[in-house]
Amino acid sequence: MKKLFKRTAGRTPARSAAAVGLAVALAVPATAAVAVAPVAAIPPGLSCDTGKHAIDDYTGYALCRNNGSTTQTFWVHLVCGWSPDVDGEHVTLRPGASGQSTAHCAGLGTGIGEIHVRP
């Protein structure tokens, strides 16, 4: 029976392929492996500030003002790392009014990863 692969330096073809794959994986910079999702756009007509509570990294908020000409509803959405994501209370604003929605991630996770405002 004829050999399909030539042995080189004591390595089998599978080991050679694994070594090449490992070398390619290690050549990728560490920063390239971390992907950050883009932050969702704030709904039109609202101007919002978002953030974490000053002394609690598990509580986030969205403080919004309705600059539009129609009534709008919004809520804060927290991406909570290892814990399930959570939504804050729905807040309805008349034109010119301001309001705040807050939410709290479970203590089992790593805290808030992202804060979004949802319409």
Side-chain angles (χ1 to χ4, degrees):
M1 180 174 208
K2 188 175 180 179
K3 287 186 177 181
L4 297 176
F5 298 101
K6 181 179 174 184
R7 263 192 139 161
T8 58
R11 292 187 181 181
T12 64
R15 284 187 184 171
S16 296
V20 169
L22 180 61
V24 169
L26 293 175
V28 176
T31 55
V34 177
V36 177
V39 176
I42 294 174
L46 292 177
S47 60
C48 300
D49 290 320
T50 61
K52 296 179 186 178
H53 189 275
I55 58 172
D56 180 8
D57 284 340
Y58 291 85
T59 300
Y61 66 88
L63 175 61
C64 297
R65 177 177 172 80
N66 183 353
N67 295 323
S69 59
T70 61
T71 300
Q72 294 202 47
T73 300
F74 77 95
W75 62 93
V76 67
H77 175 81
L78 304 180
V79 177
C80 295
W82 295 347
S83 296
D85 297 350
V86 293
D87 290 331
E89 66 277 3
H90 292 211
V91 178
T92 301
L93 300 176
R94 291 170 294 142
S98 296
Q100 180 173 321
S101 175
T102 59
H104 186 80
C105 292
L108 299 174
T110 54
I112 299 170
E114 295 178 8
I115 301 174
H116 301 273
V117 178
R118 303 291 169 117

